[in-house]
Amino acid sequence: MTVPVTFEEHATRDGGRIGIATLSAPRALNALSRDMIDALDARLAQWAEDDAVHAVWLDGEGDKAFCAGGDVVALVGALKREQQGEGAPGDFARGYFGAEYRLDYRIHTYPKPILVWADGIVMGGGLGLMAGASHRLVTETTRIAMPEITIGLYPDIGASWFLTKMAPGVGRYLGLTGASINARDALDIGLADRFVPRAERQALLERLLDSEIIPGTADDAEAAVVTALDGVEDRSQAPLGQVQPHLDHIQALTNRARVEDAVASILADDSDDAWLAANRSRLAAGCPLSAHLTWQMQGRHRHSSLADAFRDELVVSVQCGVLGDFAEGVRALLIDKDKTPRWCHRDVAAVPETDLAAMFSAPWAGQPSPLDDLT
């Protein structure tokens, strides 16, 4: 079976190479399957050791999405089979999320420049691929979101760590509401590094291939990438932002000690701004347990290491399927598409501490975490 990721190596002017990886499942908006994750991780490991590969370029096929997230439908299908006796509950999720987070961690710690062409839709797992790259490139069509609250999950893929690096309150607001942000927002809050108009994609690739790096170091490669980007960036074409103009308002809404109070504050907001209203509606219909997880995970990892955040996320993500609302959320939104999920809890205030505590209990009791080797 062909894995929907293509790999190419293009020669640079000095005889080196640029590795190009393309997510090639445009009909599924390049959603990440386990096979895609494994193939990409293996090739990145190979390119990291190849001295002739100066840099890596990662993008998605088609003009709609870089990557719309993980293959959550496959995850729910596996959970149902496990419930029917085909394996232990959560086995597939543990393997899937473990491999995904390992790939994301590799990108965060990669020894060479990685450029991510984040054009179009970037959600969930797609943001996981983007967030740790050394050069995160956004365009006029970029739309980024972590709408996990709509499917009974929470912002994972390292978001428990990187959302806390934003201005106070912003990460929690984005996680609680699943807000959609554009390229200007991504630049403002630290999720993107450069704005490159979509029409300049090929010109940028050509500039990279015209680089001279050999005999080179990682710093030489970085300098060549920066020079190439300098020639195509044009922030004057970026759309107007949504987060920065509302920053004071967002912080006033989320400056609360408890998630129950923050949710109540957001839901009681009477602003008629269209973006704020859409975010408010998404939270109102979202999973109560997910709101708690979003809040707690960012609190737990405000001062932790990235590796510790990934290890904690692996526990919670598996338990979202085994004990939580993940399967029901995906059913309602993506399988049956009735958009009427039957959450386990009536509202955020109704989530008991015992149910929340269970989400942080490792399902591999007493055994090493599959991500213990991350440092």
Side-chain angles (χ1 to χ4, degrees):
M1 182 180 69
T2 301
V3 177
V5 185
T6 61
F7 301 103
E8 303 172 76
E9 295 181 7
H10 289 223
T12 56
R13 183 156 60 95
D14 60 13
R17 300 192 302 279
I18 302 292
I20 298 178
T22 306
L23 308 178
S24 302
R27 294 182 62 184
L29 299 179
N30 298 318
L32 287 172
S33 67
R34 174 64 191 273
D35 287 343
M36 294 168 73
I37 291 168
D38 290 344
L40 186 55
D41 190 55
R43 185 57 64 98
L44 287 179
Q46 176 187 326
W47 281 338
E49 298 299 321
D50 188 336
D51 290 340
V53 174
H54 299 326
V56 172
W57 173 282
L58 175 60
D59 69 8
E61 184 179 338
D63 60 2
K64 293 183 178 180
F66 163 59
C67 175
D71 189 352
V72 295
V73 173
L75 278 162
V76 168
L79 282 167
K80 289 184 176 180
R81 291 191 297 273
E82 289 162 358
Q83 289 169 354
Q84 295 166 359
E86 297 182 28
D91 272 358
F92 182 85
R94 177 170 58 178
Y96 178 93
F97 287 119
E100 182 184 23
Y101 301 163
R102 186 174 295 279
L103 169 60
D104 295 338
Y105 186 79
R106 183 183 300 281
I107 292 172
H108 275 272
T109 57
Y110 207 65
K112 300 178 180 183
I114 297 185
L115 299 91
V116 171
W117 183 253
D119 184 55
I121 298 168
V122 184
M123 293 197 299
L127 186 55
L129 298 178
M130 174 190 175
S134 52
H135 300 277
R136 302 163 297 177
L137 315 180
V138 287
T139 76
E140 60 271 30
T141 71
T142 299
R143 299 300 301 181
I144 297 173
M146 296 206 72
E148 284 79 6
I149 195 160
T150 65
I151 57 169
L153 202 55
Y154 67 100
D156 60 330
I157 47 83
S160 303
W161 178 83
F162 67 72
L163 287 178
T164 69
K165 312 309 176 192
M166 299 173 183
V170 172
R172 279 175 162 168
Y173 180 82
L174 296 180
L176 287 172
T177 66
S180 176
I181 63 174
N182 62 28
R184 179 71 260 176
D185 295 319
L187 292 166
D188 288 343
I189 65 178
L191 282 181
D193 303 296
R194 300 274 194 154
F195 180 90
V196 181
R198 175 186 263 192
E200 295 297 321
R201 177 185 180 277
Q202 188 58 36
L204 174 55
L205 280 168
E206 290 172 2
R207 290 176 68 88
L208 290 169
L209 297 177
D210 197 41
S211 300
E212 290 220 32
I213 302 172
I214 289 180
T217 66
D219 286 343
D220 295 322
E222 180 69 15
V225 169
V226 168
T227 298
L229 286 165
D230 284 345
V232 295
E233 182 170 24
D234 184 3
R235 294 195 180 194
S236 70
Q237 296 191 40
L240 295 176
Q242 302 156 113
V243 175
Q244 195 64 34
H246 294 297
L247 180 59
D248 289 346
H249 191 65
I250 288 169
Q251 292 182 325
L253 294 174
T254 55
N255 185 19
R256 301 290 185 272
R258 303 184 309 166
V259 65
E260 299 95 318
D261 299 330
V263 168
S265 176
I266 295 170
L267 295 182
D269 180 29
D270 60 1
S271 169
D272 59 2
D273 176 84
W275 184 70
L276 293 172
N279 299 339
R280 188 165 62 239
S281 296
R282 203 176 298 108
L283 173 58
C287 175
L289 181 59
S290 292
H292 277 271
L293 295 174
T294 297
W295 191 268
Q296 284 221 8
M297 287 296 279
Q298 290 188 44
R300 287 163 70 98
H301 296 290
R302 183 179 176 191
H303 300 296
S304 83
S305 70
L306 176 61
D308 283 341
F310 276 126
R311 280 188 279 271
D312 209 18
E313 287 180 352
L314 182 57
V315 172
V316 177
S317 296
V318 171
Q319 296 293 35
C320 280
V322 176
L323 302 175
D325 291 294
F326 179 52
E328 173 61 11
V330 172
R331 177 207 66 76
L333 186 66
L334 299 172
I335 299 175
D336 296 340
K337 300 181 180 179
D338 56 36
K339 297 184 179 180
T340 56
R342 296 179 289 275
W343 305 125
C344 292
H345 307 95
R346 181 183 68 257
D347 53 35
V348 173
V351 178
E353 185 60 36
T354 52
D355 286 5
L356 187 58
M359 303 301 292
F360 293 91
S361 176
W364 42 87
Q367 300 300 313
S369 165
L371 299 179
D372 269 354
D373 59 319
L374 300 186
T375 59

